[in-house]
Amino acid sequence: MARIEPVKQRIVLLGPPASGKGTQAELIRAEFGIETPSIGAILREQKAAGTPLGRAAARFTEEGRLVPDEIILDLARTWLDAHDDAFVFDGFPRTVGQAEALEHLLNERGTPLEMAISLEADAETIRERVRRRLACGTCGVIVSAGLHVESAASPCTRCGGALARRADDTPETLEQRLVEYREKSEPLIAFYAGRGILASIAADGGPERVFAEVAAVLRS
Ligand code: AMP
């Protein structure tokens, strides 16, 4: 693949639910042309298609719990086998076990991870964002009511499809996802700091402001 700019090529985005991982991944893709696999989006596609994997994972996602590492690592391995060695994983890894397995997989390929970006947002910002968040039932894009569209009755900005709240964006499920984040995912910040590849960015500003900082660390 042609490298237009010397930016980091293998990146993971960490952060609590609704910290803007999907939005920043999309902006990185648009600016630098790096693919942005989202395990959460793959799980939602599998669920919509009614596959055994989709059904097995839905038992966890619908309760706001993390899906077991074996399922997630299978999906990540399959994705890596089928793609170029440049990526921005959005929401993977989410446990130290997943991070160790990813490190092993990438070291085997001779293409180690170059940067982990932690998007930091407080619980109130997250709750407010989730209240306004809508997903397109057709193309999966995530938008915010009052920012990208007027309301849930508006058409998708990308494909014109119907928008609806994500099944796991209820207030109860969100609280469970925040507990999972604090217990299982937050330790990844120390893990990647220890590897010397962590960048922490305050993510409570608007998407473009946050992206200016993300782009700066990817170019550093
Ligand atoms: P997301 O779209 O990234 O918010 O993910 C939605 C849901 O999918 C999460 O709440 C988890 O239940 C599940 N999920 C996504 N990525 C992972 C992962 N790396 N490890 C475990 N569960 C995951």
Side-chain angles (χ1 to χ4, degrees):
M1 196 173 120
R3 309 281 195 237
I4 302 157
E5 259 193 88
V7 292
K8 303 281 188 293
Q9 300 286 318
R10 289 179 296 281
I11 305 145
V12 295
L13 292 180
L14 315 173
S19 54
K21 299 186 295 294
T23 302
Q24 294 304 317
E26 183 59 24
L27 291 169
I28 295 171
R29 192 191 59 72
E31 180 77 14
F32 301 119
I34 305 174
E35 291 208 58
T36 56
S38 157
I39 300 284
I42 295 172
L43 294 174
R44 283 187 287 281
E45 281 161 24
Q46 297 265 343
K47 182 185 162 194
T51 65
L53 187 147
R55 284 200 299 272
R59 296 207 326 265
F60 298 91
T61 57
E62 281 167 9
E63 290 178 7
R65 287 154 60 210
L66 292 184
V67 174
D69 284 359
E70 312 83 77
I71 298 181
I72 299 296
L73 289 168
D74 260 0
L75 290 174
R77 200 177 295 113
T78 304
W79 192 92
L80 286 168
D81 283 344
H83 292 83
D84 201 11
D85 63 1
F87 55 78
V88 184
F89 270 115
D90 143 21
F92 169 76
R94 269 178 156 120
T95 64
V96 171
Q98 290 177 17
E100 286 169 346
L102 177 65
E103 184 172 56
H104 183 70
L105 274 174
L106 293 176
N107 285 346
E108 266 181 353
R109 289 166 158 77
T111 54
L113 197 64
E114 295 181 307
M115 180 142 282
I117 298 180
S118 170
L119 297 176
E120 299 184 337
D122 62 47
E124 254 335 287
T125 304
I126 288 165
R127 291 189 185 103
E128 176 56 23
R129 283 188 187 168
V130 166
R131 265 195 290 278
R132 296 194 283 126
R133 183 155 83 165
L134 298 164
C136 175
T138 308
C139 74
V141 75
I142 304 273
V143 293
S144 181
L147 182 65
H148 309 105
V149 295
E150 218 167 277
S151 72
S154 311
C156 168
T157 50
R158 188 198 274 172
C159 76
L163 299 174
R165 199 171 230 213
R166 258 170 58 169
D168 60 349
D169 269 350
T170 63
E172 302 73 36
T173 311
L174 174 62
E175 293 310 314
Q176 181 57 40
R177 287 158 68 206
L178 287 171
V179 169
E180 290 279 83
Y181 176 74
R182 278 193 291 271
E183 286 179 2
K184 298 179 183 157
S185 307
E186 216 165 46
L188 292 175
I189 295 175
F191 177 91
Y192 285 118
R195 298 294 190 269
I197 56 169
L198 178 76
S200 293
I201 292 180
D204 37 17
E208 297 296 339
R209 243 182 52 207
V210 176
F211 182 64
E213 290 193 43
V214 168
V217 299
L218 293 182
R219 289 188 173 110
S220 67

